[in-house]
Amino acid sequence: NTVMAAQMTDAHRRFLQVLMSNGITEGSEARKLHQRCCETDKVYYAHDKLDDFISTINSHLQPLFMQIRKGISEDDGRAHYAVVNLAETEVTKMASDYTEIELELFRKTMDLIILSENGFASSTDILNLADQLKTKKMKKKEAEQVLKVFVEDKWLSEKNGEYTLHTRCIIEMEQYILSNYQDVARKCNICHSLAIQSQVCESCGIGMHLPCVRKYFRAQTEPRCPKCNEFWSCDIP
């Protein structure tokens, strides 16, 4: 490549540091952080150049097998940024933070979520798995604690006793999930990224993120599947 990568400045390094310590950063926060870093370190700042700013950092992260990735929250469709380690899959990354039995509970929870219709698993179903773990059985109380930690660490998120994968988890694990759940992992028919919480066409089986469903059908007089043109029978969020 003849084009020299743009220089990393202190502003870039500061931005990366904060992103790494946050685990995941919402888009508007990332934009504020971009401005703050540039102003603090007296580096040229252009409000519409966040993507260029990030790709400069990414070109320097490449030899380290790391990358800042952008992903979309399945709840509200907002952009988020996370630093992803490309050299290791999610499971090896988590292995340094959790015990083998905790990881087994996580993988089983992930199975439930990905194999479910709507991308959620109830705490009841997850806790029922706790005493069937191969590593060793886990008491329900213990399992509840572990789930809480997974939520705090932004691998899972929880709403009214229903668990789904956190945006951070989806950004970091997209490749892992697509290769390990080939038959069931769906890509959103609209934005083509992995869809965990989704609506599925009853006729042809394509899936769409809820925010994508909302956006797509806003322009349609009656909701028809973008692929097979059959009537979309799910409730539009």
Side-chain angles (χ1 to χ4, degrees), residues 115-126:
L115 298 173
S116 73
E117 279 289 290
N118 58 357
F120 283 92
S122 72
S123 57
T124 322
D125 290 348
I126 298 170

Side-chain angles (χ1 to χ4, degrees), residues 57-88:
I57 300 175
N58 278 341
S59 62
H60 292 268
L61 287 179
Q62 208 177 352
L64 307 171
F65 298 106
M66 290 170 80
Q67 193 181 53
I68 298 173
R69 276 208 188 141
K70 186 179 182 175
I72 301 298
S73 152
E74 295 199 320
D75 278 336
D76 54 20
R78 283 202 190 134
H80 287 70
Y81 295 88
V83 181
V84 178
N85 189 333
L86 306 172
E88 45 187 30

Side-chain angles (χ1 to χ4, degrees), residues 167-186:
T167 307
R168 170 196 180 181
C169 176
I170 295 174
I171 294 176
E172 298 206 10
M173 298 191 200
E174 180 160 12
Q175 282 327 109
Y176 172 86
I177 292 171
L178 288 171
S179 56
N180 282 278
Y181 295 90
Q182 278 168 345
D183 305 337
V184 286
R186 288 188 199 94

Side-chain angles (χ1 to χ4, degrees), residues 4 11 13 16 19 42 53 67 114 124-125 174 182 191:
M4 274 294 289
R13 282 185 273 277
L16 175 62
L19 229 57
K42 316 239 180 310
F53 187 81
Q67 193 181 53
I114 292 170
T124 322
D125 290 348
E174 180 160 12
Q182 278 168 345
C191 72

Side-chain angles (χ1 to χ4, degrees), residues 118-137:
N118 58 357
F120 283 92
S122 72
S123 57
T124 322
D125 290 348
I126 298 170
L127 295 175
N128 285 339
L129 293 174
D131 50 12
Q132 305 166 21
L133 298 177
K134 286 191 186 68
T135 325
K136 68 179 210 288
K137 297 195 188 339

Side-chain angles (χ1 to χ4, degrees), residues 1 8 26 37 44 73 91 96-97 108 114 124 189 208:
N1 196 345
M8 275 272 270
E26 199 263 317
C37 291
Y44 169 72
S73 152
V91 174
S96 51
D97 297 328
K108 288 234 184 328
I114 292 170
T124 322
N189 194 65
M208 294 200 276

Side-chain angles (χ1 to χ4, degrees), residues 1 6 10 32 41 101 112-113 141 159 190 215:
N1 196 345
D10 284 343
K32 277 185 226 150
D41 294 304
I101 183 169
L112 282 180
I113 291 170
K141 266 273 163 274
K159 260 203 304 246
I190 302 295
K215 257 198 245 141

